[in-house]
Amino acid sequence: MPEWPEVEAIRAQSAEMSPGRTIAHVRLLEPAMMAPAERRRLRGLVRGRTFASPGRHGKFLLLPLTGDVWLTVHLGMTGRILVSSGRYVSHPHDRFVFRLVREGEKAWLVFRDPRKFGRLEVGESGPAARVALLGPDAWLGEWDAESLARRLQG
């Protein structure tokens, strides 16, 4: 299962490739990896929107788009996000494919998951609601004895 350092590595790779690129097309190849209501809204919400800098909270990859639209990705056990430029070559484990453009240059953001345990959520006004239910991120913030004591005191 991808652990948070792996998700952080994917976030860093996405930060190099995706900001400033606009979603031109979405191929939804595995509808079961999204809630039914979100499947119906996905293309309309994201097409034409541009990626900002990605974030991460725990094992969730947070992909903000212009217009306060967010893609929240959980990789499950075997999921990966691939960002590449050039020609897209289909793979049997590709579940979502986003064609991106920037200044006429094509690129692809691909959610590949052999076992289909990953999830993609799309929403407005912030990441998926379940991210807010998580505790503080272990990699971010202050983590010394003093900050821990403040948290424990309430």
Side-chain angles (χ1 to χ4, degrees), residues 1-23:
M1 174 177 291
E3 299 297 336
W4 59 262
E6 293 170 79
V7 178
E8 176 60 23
I10 291 169
R11 186 214 56 79
Q13 176 203 16
S14 298
E16 291 178 20
M17 291 289 292
S18 58
R21 294 186 189 269
T22 300
I23 297 174

Side-chain angles (χ1 to χ4, degrees), residues 68-130:
D68 207 17
V69 172
W70 291 73
L71 295 173
T72 302
V73 179
H74 192 281
L75 299 172
M77 291 182 69
T78 57
R80 298 185 307 167
I81 296 290
L82 308 169
V83 183
S84 64
S85 55
R87 186 172 174 263
Y88 168 68
V89 178
S90 180
H91 186 279
H93 298 141
D94 291 349
R95 307 303 175 198
F96 300 92
V97 179
F98 298 86
R99 187 177 75 214
L100 311 176
V101 295
R102 179 174 55 200
E103 299 171 4
E105 177 189 325
K106 286 184 187 176
W108 307 92
L109 186 141
V110 178
F111 185 179
R112 184 171 290 167
D113 189 358
R115 297 188 65 188
K116 303 181 191 178
F117 291 147
R119 291 289 173 263
L120 175 70
E121 298 176 63
V122 61
E124 298 173 272
S125 304
R130 64 186 178 148

